[in-house]
Amino acid sequence: MTVLLVFVAACWMTVAGYSSGKVTVSCESMLPKHGGHVPSPTPSPYEIIVDKINFNPGDQIKVTLSAPAPLATPFKGFLIEARDAANLNSDAVGTFTLVNPSVSQLLNCGPTQGSAVSHTSADTQVEIQAIWIAPQDAPHSVQFLATVLEDYSVYWAQIPGPIVSQSGVAPPSQLPATTSAGTTTPSKLLEPFSSEGCGRNMSCLRDPVGCDPGSDPRCFFLSFTHMGQTVQFQLSGPAEGYVSFALSFDKWMGNDDVYLCVRNGDLVEISPAYAEGRTHPELEPEGVLTDVAWRLSDGIIQCSFRRNIHIPNNQNRFNLDERFYIFLAHGTADFGVIHRHNRQPLISTKEKVISGMPENLSGSRSPLIIKFHGALMFIAWVTLVSTGIIVARFFKLEWPNTTLFGQKVWFQVHRGLMSLTVLLTCISFTLPFIYRWGWSKRAGAHACLGCVVMVFTILQPLGAVFRPHQGSPRRHIFNWLHFGGGTIIQIMAVAAVFLGMQQQALLLETPLCMGITVGILCWGAMAALLLELHERRLLKWVDKLREDEGGVPFASASVQLQDVLFKKVVLAVYISGNLAFLITLLYLISSV
């Protein structure tokens, strides 16, 4: 319930933040920052008109943004600015005053207060008016620009409005083209992509390794081909909302050149973006993609586009003749709005020059440090602990005349296995903190339960150090506390292991991984049950052995030897099976 409330609150705050019109983050690009959407390629149904085309510093000009008849398409959001007509990438100039404060508000874009006008709510409008006041240092000519949202996913950016000029100044005969975040109008792909040519004509990154997107519906596929001064990209994957890839100088998310293919109904929107830190990627205002095409079929999103190797004056678009790690991610989207990726991104094993020689690339969805975390925890809690408990529970009377470093064999084996468990747990416990540089903001039940297990893992051997000597009246209390505490820790550790298998950084939630983990636990339970039944003399073969010995009590040497042999065989078979399960599981972890 708490998680649901947090999710609803987060969604409400996101929607409320846009619907309130407090969009100063969009001042420079005039983009609404609705992730996954690009401006509509169709002509705008809205227009901007002014009541005069000449001004002097200090003059007022009425600016009207409207949806003219006959369509009169209402709009839910807007942003109006005035900019130097000779440099539309400059800051907003002049100031506005409001005509109707109930439907419009002032924004501070750039160094000037009140230099833009936006909406106050998500209520629909068909006309908005504001008064623009020319500054004393006004440029020779000014052009009004507007971004208008018909709804959350349909909008027009930097709609060009009238040009007004200072008195005595001739209006410019030619203006630079208005910038736009749109790409070339996309077309539909007629056929699915194919992996034929990977390593020969194009570089490919695939998951599973060697898959073909033309025949394997599970295939996540990225290919790129150097073509003169451009690179052709093809991206494909089964996803409910989007597939994407990013170019990064390291294996950490942040400051990455991102490309998104986002499903919005029966369409796919393709756009470049930039991820600054571990945040939602922001769409870029420049249209840098050409030959854009897409395809939707049976839940598989495919898109292709071409990009120049060098894009001058754009710090967020990396040069493709440099070396990068490649991230391949996918996730859900609602009405074209992307959410956090479902799984850890597939990250190329090595850096790659995008415009370099073709090759087949390999990758992993789990960082090596997290793989070690999972592997060490599995070794500690499904092999060492269970073996140590079996030895302590059923082998105290074995090897009665043999000692190991001055202590009974069972005790030294038990103590050695448990000490090794503590050591591996401590090492493994620190690895996620090293990977995340601290506590993760998305730490869930697995992390919290892991901390509890770590605390009790330290307390358990500390308590054993102060155990009463054999024969002490308090020894039985210690025995029960030690046994009970160990059992509780083991149960919590197993629960943490299963929760950990569902973590994005080491997702092992597959039938095979789950089956092997359950198999290890059942294998240990069967061995313990068999030894317990033998201990309580509930196995029929024991009664038969007694009859063969002529009813001689269990003090019989041959019966005791049979008992010892049986227990040793069970222990050997258990350890062999446990190691087989464990090795298979470690192999699967290494393959993630």
Side-chain angles (χ1 to χ4, degrees), residues 63 114 145 160 172 191 362 481 549:
V63 182
L145 304 173
E191 298 291 337
S362 61
L481 290 176
E549 292 292 327

Side-chain angles (χ1 to χ4, degrees), residues 310-556:
H310 299 96
I311 301 179
N313 304 320
N314 190 324
Q315 297 180 351
N316 296 338
R317 300 276 76 81
F318 299 161
N319 293 330
L320 300 183
D321 54 3
E322 300 180 49
R323 303 183 68 87
F324 304 104
Y325 289 102
I326 304 171
F327 288 57
L328 188 58
H330 69 282
T332 58
D334 292 323
F335 305 104
V337 181
I338 69 172
H339 302 293
R340 186 169 181 261
H341 42 75
N342 296 342
R343 295 181 61 189
Q344 189 83 357
L346 180 71
I347 305 176
S348 61
T349 305
K350 64 177 184 178
E351 296 173 290
K352 167 65 179 172
V353 177
I354 305 302
S355 59
M357 297 297 294
E359 63 178 305
N360 277 307
L361 302 173
S362 61
S364 173
R365 291 189 181 273
S366 180
L368 184 61
I369 192 171
I370 298 299
K371 290 183 179 181
F372 273 110
H373 167 76
L376 293 179
M377 284 299 188
F378 271 113
I379 293 172
W381 291 99
V382 303
T383 296
L384 299 182
V385 166
S386 56
T387 304
I389 290 176
I390 287 177
V391 169
R393 172 68 182 87
F394 300 106
F395 288 83
K396 288 184 177 179
L397 300 180
E398 313 308 324
W399 310 288
N401 301 319
T402 305
T403 60
L404 185 63
F405 301 112
Q407 295 284 350
K408 293 183 178 180
V409 173
W410 77 266
F411 178 76
Q412 293 289 47
V413 172
H414 175 75
R415 183 165 63 177
L417 292 175
M418 294 309 178
S419 298
L420 189 54
T421 296
V422 174
L423 176 62
L424 294 184
T425 303
C426 290
I427 295 174
S428 179
F429 180 78
T430 62
L431 297 181
F433 290 93
I434 296 174
Y435 172 67
R436 294 290 184 183
W437 292 89
W439 183 262
S440 173
K441 295 180 180 179
R442 294 185 176 89
H446 169 70
C448 296
L449 189 57
C451 290
V452 175
V453 171
M454 184 71 255
V455 171
F456 281 96
T457 299
I458 298 297
L459 293 178
Q460 184 77 349
L462 288 179
V465 172
F466 299 101
R467 67 185 181 279
H469 61 81
Q470 193 72 32
S472 170
R474 294 190 299 272
R475 181 61 181 249
H476 72 284
I477 299 176
F478 164 80
N479 290 341
W480 279 108
L481 290 176
H482 189 68
F483 171 77
T487 302
I488 293 173
I489 297 172
Q490 188 180 24
I491 292 173
M492 290 192 298
V494 170
V497 164
F498 277 99
L499 291 173
M501 295 174 68
Q502 304 172 35
Q503 299 298 300
Q504 279 200 14
L506 186 62
L507 189 61
L508 299 172
E509 197 177 19
T510 63
L512 181 58
C513 291
M514 284 291 182
I516 291 175
T517 306
V518 172
I520 292 178
L521 298 177
C522 292
W523 187 255
M526 289 174 58
L529 178 62
L530 194 60
L531 290 171
E532 185 68 31
L533 292 175
H534 173 268
E535 188 82 5
R536 296 178 180 275
R537 308 305 179 193
L538 296 177
L539 296 178
K540 291 184 178 181
W541 75 271
V542 174
D543 293 336
K544 181 65 170 59
L545 181 63
R546 293 178 63 186
E547 293 176 2
D548 293 342
E549 292 292 327
V552 178
F554 276 96
S556 168

Side-chain angles (χ1 to χ4, degrees), residues 568-585:
K568 288 181 178 181
V569 169
V570 171
L571 180 62
V573 171
Y574 164 71
I575 293 176
S576 300
N578 184 284
L579 290 177
F581 279 120
L582 180 64
I583 291 171
T584 305
L585 195 56

Side-chain angles (χ1 to χ4, degrees), residues 15 61-62 77 105 118 139 167 188 257 294 302 330-331 343 372 461 486 503 528 562:
V15 174
I61 297 178
K62 180 183 288 187
Q105 63 183 324
S118 72
S167 299
K188 281 193 175 183
D257 185 356
W294 58 270
Q302 295 189 328
H330 69 282
R343 295 181 61 189
F372 273 110
Q503 299 298 300
Q562 292 287 344

Side-chain angles (χ1 to χ4, degrees), residues 159-193:
I159 302 170
I163 299 170
V164 297
S165 302
Q166 292 197 45
S167 299
V169 176
S173 57
Q174 186 175 6
L175 293 174
T178 302
T179 59
S180 171
T183 64
T184 56
T185 303
S187 61
K188 281 193 175 183
L189 294 166
L190 299 180
E191 298 291 337
F193 298 144

